[in-house]
Amino acid sequence: GNSVTQMEGPVTLSEEAFLTINCTYTATGYPSLFWYVQYPGEGLQLLLKATKADDKGSNKGFEATYRKETTSFHLEKGSVQVSDSAVYFCALSDPLFTGGGNKLTFGTGTQLKVEL
Amino acid sequence: DVKVTQSSRYLVKRTGEKVFLECVQDMDHENMFWYRQDPGLGLRLIYFSYDVKMKEKGDIPEGYSVSREKKERFSLILESASTNQTSMYLCASSLWTQGVAEAFFGQGTRLTVV
């Protein structure tokens, strides 16, 4: 079955530091890949996505590249801010999933804390 | 903007009670989902629905049921609440396409069963 593995947190960084959160996946077919972010007390919201190999998703200074050869989708940001403190979830959606629904499979989440 | 609204932010229920969690979306999405979120386990899919009156089991359906009588509303039912169902419950909806479907989430319901 499909699965997503993320690095464990919490990750604590100083403001303006470089961020990498690792994500690898196992899936049948050719999944679409996502990063979702959950700010304290809120639901999840889509941060970025990529639908095929070598695609790069980007948003709000965050980037991730779909690497089929290493089955990875690592999240990066060049300079984090205190406001980036949140939990980040890597997820995949298998378009070959039968029954409809584009079911999402999530990783366990990585908490990021950014300090001044 | 798509809005997914869950009826309660916080609920406290007693063991053995029947509990209803309601979710409404306003964008005419075909697909709706219920997840539970637990520390160290991420989000796990309980049930989903890709059409009115249709439902499919997710990864952890035991102890739960769902109802989708109208396209915009998807209810999660705990038939007899137990303490191990204390969790954060997240509802989501998405538009069915053959490619990418972005899921939109509600703000979550934190349920405590005592």
Side-chain angles (χ1 to χ4, degrees), chain B:
Chain B
D1 282 351
V2 174
K3 193 166 184 182
V4 178
T5 304
Q6 295 183 229
S7 53
S8 305
R9 291 295 298 269
Y10 301 94
L11 275 179
V12 180
K13 296 292 182 181
R14 296 193 180 277
T15 301
E17 275 193 77
K18 190 169 186 177
V19 180
F20 293 86
L21 302 183
E22 306 287 345
C23 176
V24 176
Q25 51 99 359
D26 65 359
M27 281 301 291
D28 204 36
H29 286 173
E30 291 95 345
N31 308 318
M32 297 189 75
F33 308 83
W34 276 105
Y35 290 87
R36 63 176 282 177
Q37 181 181 7
D38 299 289
L41 297 176
L43 275 73
R44 294 178 291 167
L45 182 64
I46 304 171
Y47 267 97
F48 66 101
S49 167
Y50 53 91
D51 202 353
V52 176
K53 297 192 185 295
M54 303 298 288
K55 59 184 179 183
E56 294 273 351
K57 293 180 179 179
D59 300 317
I60 52 164
E62 296 78 18
Y64 303 93
S65 62
V66 290
S67 172
R68 192 158 181 210
E69 295 296 319
K70 294 184 178 181
K71 193 173 187 180
E72 67 271 18
R73 188 180 296 271
F74 192 37
S75 303
L76 179 69
I77 304 157
L78 285 66
E79 297 291 344
S80 177
S82 64
T83 55
N84 63 13
Q85 292 178 309
T86 292
S87 185
M88 170 71 86
Y89 290 87
L90 293 169
C91 175
S93 72
S94 72
L95 187 62
W96 166 249
T97 67
Q98 288 298 326
V100 178
E102 178 183 345
F104 296 86
F105 283 82
Q107 76 277 28
T109 297
R110 186 166 293 282
L111 173 67
T112 302
V113 182
V114 298

Side-chain angles (χ1 to χ4, degrees), chain A residues 16-39:
Chain A
E16 299 184 0
F18 185 86
L19 168 71
T20 300
I21 300 178
N22 290 337
C23 171
T24 57
Y25 68 89
T26 302
T28 56
Y30 301 94
S32 297
L33 301 174
F34 306 82
W35 278 100
Y36 280 82
V37 58
Q38 185 179 34
Y39 297 103

Side-chain angles (χ1 to χ4, degrees), chain A residues 36-90:
Chain A
Y36 280 82
V37 58
Q38 185 179 34
Y39 297 103
E42 298 184 14
L44 277 70
Q45 54 186 276
L46 180 66
L47 181 60
L48 54 84
K49 62 188 178 188
T51 60
K52 60 184 187 297
D54 300 325
D55 266 3
K56 178 186 283 189
S58 61
N59 185 26
K60 299 181 181 180
F62 291 89
E63 293 182 341
T65 301
Y66 190 142
R67 301 286 188 199
K68 188 171 182 294
E69 64 277 11
T70 55
T71 62
S72 65
F73 192 55
H74 305 320
L75 182 68
E76 297 182 334
K77 187 175 185 182
S79 177
V80 294
Q81 306 299 313
V82 172
S83 57
D84 293 327
S85 298
V87 180
Y88 293 82
F89 291 91
C90 186

